Amino acid sequence: MNVIIRPALRAIATVREDFPILSQSVRGKPLVFLDSAASAMKPRIVIDAMVQAMETQYANIHRGAHWMSERTTEAFEATRDSVARLMNASSREEIIFTRNSTEAINLVAHSYGRGVMKTGQAVVISEMEHHSNIIPWQLLRDDYGIELRVVRVTDSGELDMEHLAALLADGRAGLVAITHMSNVLGTYTPAERIVALAHEHGAKVLLDGSQAVVHRQIDVKALDADFYVWTGHKLYGPTGIGVLYGKRELLEKMPPFMGGGDMISSVTFERSTWARVPHKFEAGTPAILEGIGLNAAIGYVESVGYEAIASHEAALTEHALAKLSAVEGVTILGQAQDRGGVISFTLEGAHAHDVATLLDRSGIAVRAGHHCAEPLMQRFGVDSTARASFGLYTTLAEIDFLAETLGRVRAFFA
Amino acid sequence: MSASEADIYSSTILERARRPRHQHRLEPFDIEAREVNRLCGDRVTLRLRCDEQGGIAAVGYEARACAICTASADLMAEIVPGMTRAEALSAGQALGAALRSDGTTDWSPDIMPLRLFEPLRDTPSRIVCATLPWQALAQALAQGLTQMPAPGADEEG
């Protein structure tokens, strides 16, 4: 293991140099960016890939019989190959590009929910979902007569697997849609067990990997996930490009999500036919430059390596949990056994927003609020929390500075 | 924290946030309104009592909110009673305008006690914390138009 851990830790200084923005100052102080779970910074290679595409080879894709369009189509479609490889999908046709995770979940709620599920079936979500994995199912429930069931989260911030089993017992659940890693608690959910349990009861599974894909190698075949969604901008890529993985047999059964250009086979006023998957689900000109940027981001992550990333982030998380819990007045939400570098906390006597503002005055960027997870906030009896989250460029020194500054914030509000 | 680091938290703001003077459920009341900051979930519930001329006689509020928002609500509850509806509305609008301006907007006498929020101009994401109670007030006054006697109604009627 040391062979793997050492290069990652040693390489951190080098990794930071790949991110131009990390050398910026904020309010005259060095930027300490601890908000990667909201959106990660971009390495030079991603920025350059997008600029170079605009400067040297750019045109609309899938339609022009000219050199520029062909080269751009190749570059964009190469991203689909990279995503399929990254997630170990069986084929590139199982990869659909969306704007973000939210759109990917809405696509499934619409096309699988309304197109394949039957009224009276249930969708099972959990208390620790992001709003993007709650609202599409509420809309489905209200429009289409689907029952919405919610798995409890334990006091330690883990999924209550017994409760999940109970919610699946009557065999009416058609789909389980659950996060692979909580954006508030940092908890990894036991995805393989969830999938196995759901499949035993005849339910398909969608995993929201928006956070997980940043920190762990995702293998959709090993997980046996039916759908897996994530977004490019958290994986050091551009905004505006997200991914839906779906098992091909399911995608074939599903009707289109949006209609328009690029998703058709033929069109007449009487009747139109759809393109094959994945294009059936990709109406209109996609985020071409962002797709090209995403390929560079995937290449970058693979060049650092998930094992190195995971080791580094495990060290950061362990250090941060120790350091932050030693600050008087700090309470950390959740103590899951299997957790990653996303830590939500409250500071006694100070509102999360005030904490975040004073940290910002010291150059430290954290998120404060309900983190688009209001039901989880209610579950833990808090209105809002501050959240520090780590990326592959985060350092132990930054965490020390956070803890030290939190001590001063505490003293200020005391 | 150094003075410059903590510039938006004047001693008055900290004091009002720690020990609000006007945070309570007003009874009896004529109008109630609730405003939520959708960015963070902070909320202010506001109650108004009106005088016979349709002006504002008393303000009470309950805030589950940050220091800036709580202090703003507390100061509002202090300066608004005695104002007409129009004066109260324009005070809220003047606060928003002054905080979002480039520094050239005058602080009118009505809102001079709120000038301590001026450093928020450098922190746009927090301006809404100061204006939230005033948004609740505007909402209360809008719904109150149908419930409250119009100003001077007695004289004209």
Side-chain angles (χ1 to χ4, degrees):
Chain A
M1 276 310 279
N2 286 347
V3 183
I4 295 158
I5 293 167
R6 279 201 200 115
L9 291 173
R10 210 170 48 224
I12 279 306
T14 324
V15 169
R16 286 181 69 83
E17 285 163 17
D18 299 334
F19 293 79
I21 206 168
L22 295 180
S23 58
Q24 291 291 306
S25 296
V26 170
R27 303 180 189 280
K29 294 175 178 150
L31 169 65
V32 175
F33 187 72
L34 300 177
D35 195 20
S36 290
S39 197
M41 294 310 192
K42 320 305 173 197
R44 167 64 67 193
I45 199 171
V46 169
I47 299 164
D48 286 349
M50 295 175 75
V51 172
Q52 275 168 19
M54 281 185 280
E55 287 180 345
T56 62
Q57 51 163 55
Y58 175 76
N60 210 331
I61 60 171
H62 300 147
R63 54 199 87 194
H66 57 77
W67 191 91
M68 280 289 175
S69 177
E70 286 167 347
R71 295 296 86 73
T72 314
T73 301
E74 283 168 9
F76 182 81
E77 286 299 327
T79 308
R80 206 183 302 274
D81 294 321
S82 295
V83 171
R85 182 185 69 238
L86 183 80
M87 305 176 73
N88 195 28
S90 296
S91 74
R92 65 191 312 280
E93 285 77 20
E94 295 181 317
I95 305 301
I96 294 157
F97 290 120
T98 61
R99 275 189 302 151
N100 44 39
S101 297
T102 299
E103 186 176 280
I105 295 169
N106 275 275
L107 191 163
V108 175
H110 193 94
S111 296
Y112 189 78
R114 289 165 179 79
V116 179
M117 288 181 71
K118 302 279 177 268
T119 297
Q121 280 194 298
V123 171
V124 181
I125 61 173
S126 85
E127 282 182 327
M128 65 169 123
E129 301 310 315
H130 189 282
H131 294 164
S132 61
N133 199 28
I134 299 173
I135 310 298
W137 309 114
Q138 280 183 337
L139 295 173
L140 180 67
R141 175 195 67 192
D142 297 344
D143 291 353
Y144 193 69
I146 292 283
E147 187 192 342
L148 190 56
R149 299 177 178 177
V150 184
V151 185
R152 284 192 294 261
V153 166
T154 65
D155 290 341
S156 63
E158 291 161 312
L159 202 66
D160 183 338
M161 291 298 286
E162 284 181 20
H163 190 219
L164 173 62
L167 293 181
L168 291 169
D170 67 4
R172 285 207 297 117
L175 185 72
V176 175
I178 281 183
T179 186
H180 195 181
M181 178 186 182
S182 165
N183 70 310
V184 176
L185 305 170
T187 305
Y188 288 105
T189 56
E192 281 181 57
R193 284 170 56 208
I194 293 168
V195 174
L197 191 61
H199 286 176
E200 261 174 50
H201 293 87
K204 303 298 182 194
V205 177
L206 176 148
L207 293 169
D208 176 0
S210 305
Q211 298 295 338
V213 72
V214 183
H215 310 289
R216 283 191 174 176
Q217 180 87 54
I218 303 305
D219 182 335
V220 288
K221 264 189 254 171
L223 291 171
D224 199 19
D226 300 292
F227 301 103
Y228 197 102
V229 309
W230 55 278
T231 191
H233 70 95
K234 295 189 202 285
L235 191 71
Y236 312 102
T239 52
I241 184 101
V243 169
L244 166 65
Y245 158 84
K247 279 185 185 163
R248 186 160 188 164
E249 76 232 39
L250 297 174
L251 296 177
E252 297 285 2
K253 279 191 222 165
M254 291 158 55
F257 175 41
M258 287 189 281
D262 225 26
M263 53 74 72
I264 52 88
S265 174
S266 72
V267 175
T268 67
F269 284 117
E270 289 70 38
R271 182 173 174 275
S272 299
T273 55
W274 316 135
R276 294 176 196 281
V277 295
H279 301 293
K280 178 169 79 173
F281 296 105
E282 294 179 355
T285 296
I288 299 169
L289 293 164
E290 290 75 6
I292 290 169
L294 179 60
N295 203 5
I298 291 169
Y300 182 77
V301 167
E302 288 178 333
S303 76
V304 179
Y306 270 107
E307 280 186 74
I309 291 171
S311 305
H312 176 57
E313 292 179 350
L316 289 173
T317 306
E318 190 182 334
H319 186 69
L321 289 171
K323 278 279 179 175
L324 294 181
S325 51
V327 177
E328 199 188 335
V330 165
T331 304
I332 293 169
L333 253 70
Q335 309 94 35
Q337 287 295 313
D338 191 12
R339 67 173 301 162
V342 174
I343 300 177
S344 285
F345 58 91
T346 56
L347 183 64
E348 194 183 4
H351 186 281
H353 253 179
D354 298 320
V355 172
T357 291
L358 284 186
L359 291 176
D360 173 59
R361 292 296 201 265
S362 296
I364 303 171
V366 299
R367 177 147 177 206
H370 54 51
H371 315 291
C372 299
E374 282 191 67
L376 186 65
M377 296 283 113
Q378 288 155 15
R379 159 68 182 81
F380 280 94
V382 292
D383 291 324
S384 60
T385 69
R387 181 188 72 184
S389 57
F390 314 137
L392 54 79
Y393 39 64
T394 306
T395 66
L396 295 171
E398 288 180 311
I399 290 165
D400 291 343
F401 185 55
L402 168 69
E404 176 202 322
T405 312
L406 270 176
R408 292 196 294 133
V409 172
R410 158 84 171 160
F412 180 77
F413 282 110
Chain B
M1 312 303 297
S2 71
S4 67
E5 283 173 339
D7 60 349
I8 71 169
Y9 297 100
S10 68
S11 55
T12 304
I13 290 177
L14 285 177
E15 177 60 23
R16 294 278 178 161
R18 279 195 200 108
R19 280 177 286 277
R21 299 178 196 172
H22 306 285
Q23 175 148 235
H24 67 290
R25 278 171 84 83
L26 183 69
E27 292 287 357
F29 69 98
D30 296 310
I31 316 168
E32 182 179 273
R34 187 162 186 260
E35 196 67 50
V36 177
N37 181 349
R38 67 178 199 90
L39 295 178
C40 63
D42 279 2
R43 67 211 70 175
V44 174
T45 305
L46 186 69
R47 284 180 170 189
L48 302 182
R49 189 159 64 235
C50 306
D51 61 28
E52 286 172 1
Q53 286 73 44
I56 299 164
V59 176
Y61 73 93
E62 290 168 290
R64 293 188 68 168
C66 63
I68 302 290
C69 184
T70 306
S72 180
D74 211 56
L75 288 165
M76 184 185 75
E78 194 157 299
I79 65 178
V80 162
M83 286 186 182
T84 65
R85 290 184 302 197
E87 286 167 348
L89 264 180
S90 86
Q93 286 161 358
L95 174 67
L99 292 179
R100 291 187 177 90
S101 80
D102 54 6
T104 55
T105 305
D106 285 339
W107 289 78
S108 61
D110 269 359
I111 58 164
M112 201 48 92
L114 306 174
R115 190 159 191 170
L116 41 80
F117 293 113
E118 196 165 20
L120 288 177
R121 279 214 307 261
D122 293 334
T123 312
S125 64
R126 300 299 307 274
I127 290 176
V128 66
C129 306
T131 57
L132 194 77
W134 293 86
Q135 288 166 16
L137 179 68
Q139 196 195 313
L141 293 173
Q143 52 168 294
L145 284 177
T146 54
Q147 301 167 23
M148 292 162 66
D154 288 348
E155 290 88 335
E156 287 166 18

